[in-house]
Amino acid sequence: MFKRFVTAIELLAAVAIVVFVVMLFANEPSTSGVATSPGGQPFQANCASCHGAQGEGGIGPKLAGVVTHDFPNETDQIGVVTKGKGSMPAFGGNLTAAQIRQVVDYTRTGLGK
Amino acid sequence: MHGRTNRGRWGWSPVQLKTASPVTGKLLGIFVVGAAVSVALGVYADSHTPTHEKPYTLFFSGTIQLKVWLATAALALALIQLLLAARLYGKIHLPRRAPAWLGDAHRLVGITAFLLTLPVAYQCLWALGFQSGSTRVLLHGLFGCVFYGVFTMKVLGVRVEGLPGWVLPVAGGLVFAALVGLFLTSSLWFFTSSSAPRPLF
């Protein structure tokens, strides 16, 4: 009886693996959150994994609607993105200065509230 | 001496050539399939456009919390799995007489732990992709790919007959080590880092 139960769970796991693989390929990523702003793409590629696709926060703090309050001076925010701070990595080596400025502009004007 | 041991041209007896090759072939096949799974996951994670979406939270406050606790539960089950394996191999003697269902319990705990990792891996692969922003994140991605590769090897090692006795303990140990690596680079970081998001649940 117990052996049959375990076999049933193993079959369930096999089905779960199939669903897992199908979902990886069938569930296409949503592009609705990517803005047309030039900073939108680098934001999605470099920042969204921690700060959320809409800047709503996650591992990193929320940006949408609050970043201009946290960084009244845009230059300070550019400095944090470039050099990093605390657990946030520095992006000066991955992004050009122009890209960093575009990303910062995007977080200040392109993200929702 | 050659005549007494009946060794062949390269120092192998004909009997050894007949029996060793299939085992080596099976081991190589298992290794190749497991490595292919690891590489395929890494390639998918690197080439797929991350969605950065949080598809499910269940009864947790966020997807990160869900992932952290599922991974922790998987590690807890893996520890039980390790103890069950130690009893099966006679490395520990508690209980003194191993019940007949011990092997099935070992399978059940292992499969359950594996099932708990799937929602975690799906969100990692689909929403985040392969990242190398920090050493922790890079190691986490590598451990994730290795985990499913060695898990595949372990499952195949159970199914394929005629393998040496060391294969399953080694494969099981690698699966456990990869899971510990995953835990250390994700859940433990979440529990201990002041920069990790809160609440805990």
Side-chain angles (χ1 to χ4, degrees):
Chain A
M1 182 68 185
F2 183 52
K3 191 181 284 287
R4 281 187 183 179
F5 175 71
V6 175
T7 303
I9 296 295
E10 285 181 339
L11 287 173
L12 177 71
V15 172
I17 291 169
V18 172
V19 171
F20 176 84
V21 173
V22 169
M23 289 275 287
L24 283 177
F25 289 97
N27 207 351
E28 285 299 311
S30 163
T31 55
S32 60
V34 180
T36 53
S37 160
Q41 287 294 345
F43 176 85
Q44 295 300 328
N46 296 279
C47 318
S49 58
C50 292
H51 293 287
Q54 311 299 325
E56 72 275 20
I59 295 172
K62 178 182 179 181
L63 299 176
V66 298
V67 72
T68 51
H69 179 265
D70 294 341
F71 294 100
N73 188 341
E74 187 175 354
T75 309
D76 294 338
Q77 188 185 350
I78 289 173
V80 170
V81 176
T82 305
K83 297 175 183 174
K85 184 181 179 184
S87 60
M88 173 159 161
F91 286 89
N94 297 349
L95 300 173
T96 64
Q99 284 176 315
I100 289 175
R101 180 171 288 280
Q102 287 172 346
V103 168
V104 168
D105 286 343
Y106 175 69
T107 63
R108 299 173 79 86
T109 60
L111 295 174
K113 299 292 180 188
Chain B
M1 184 175 172
H2 279 219
R4 187 167 60 86
T5 56
N6 195 26
R7 286 178 186 271
R9 188 175 167 186
W10 294 285
W12 292 83
S13 72
V15 174
Q16 280 176 316
L17 280 173
K18 272 186 177 177
T19 55
S21 295
V23 172
T24 307
K26 286 175 185 175
L27 286 174
L28 193 62
I30 289 170
F31 178 80
V32 167
V33 173
V37 168
S38 290
V39 171
L41 289 174
V43 168
Y44 172 87
D46 195 44
S47 58
H48 166 76
T49 304
T51 64
H52 305 297
E53 292 177 15
K54 301 178 176 82
Y56 35 69
T57 59
L58 289 181
F59 43 82
F60 291 94
S61 56
T63 302
I64 293 166
Q65 285 80 356
L66 166 85
K67 292 169 66 181
V68 161
W69 285 103
L70 286 185
T72 304
L75 183 70
L77 289 176
L79 281 168
I80 296 171
Q81 175 89 332
L82 191 67
L83 291 172
L84 291 170
R87 181 64 191 90
L88 282 168
Y89 280 86
K91 300 298 180 189
I92 59 175
H93 301 284
L94 191 73
R96 186 167 291 180
R97 177 170 294 188
W101 47 262
L102 205 65
D104 291 326
H106 180 77
R107 285 165 57 202
L108 180 63
V109 171
I111 287 294
T112 307
F114 171 77
L115 285 172
L116 288 178
T117 68
L118 287 183
V120 182
Y122 178 75
Q123 207 274 341
C124 285
L125 289 165
W126 183 69
L128 302 179
F130 194 85
Q131 297 179 25
S132 55
S134 69
T135 306
R136 179 188 70 80
V137 172
L138 174 64
L139 285 174
H140 184 71
L142 292 174
F143 277 128
C145 294
V146 168
F147 172 77
Y148 288 102
V150 291
F151 182 84
T152 304
M153 292 182 201
K154 171 73 170 28
V155 171
L156 290 175
V158 171
R159 304 290 174 190
V160 174
E161 293 180 354
L163 295 176
W166 56 265
V167 171
L168 288 182
V170 167
L174 289 174
V175 173
F176 183 74
L179 190 59
V180 168
L182 279 171
F183 176 83
L184 293 177
T185 52
S186 57
S187 298
L188 187 68
W189 169 83
F190 178 85
F191 292 135
T192 58
S193 173
S194 59
S195 58
R198 291 292 179 261
L200 274 174
F201 296 97

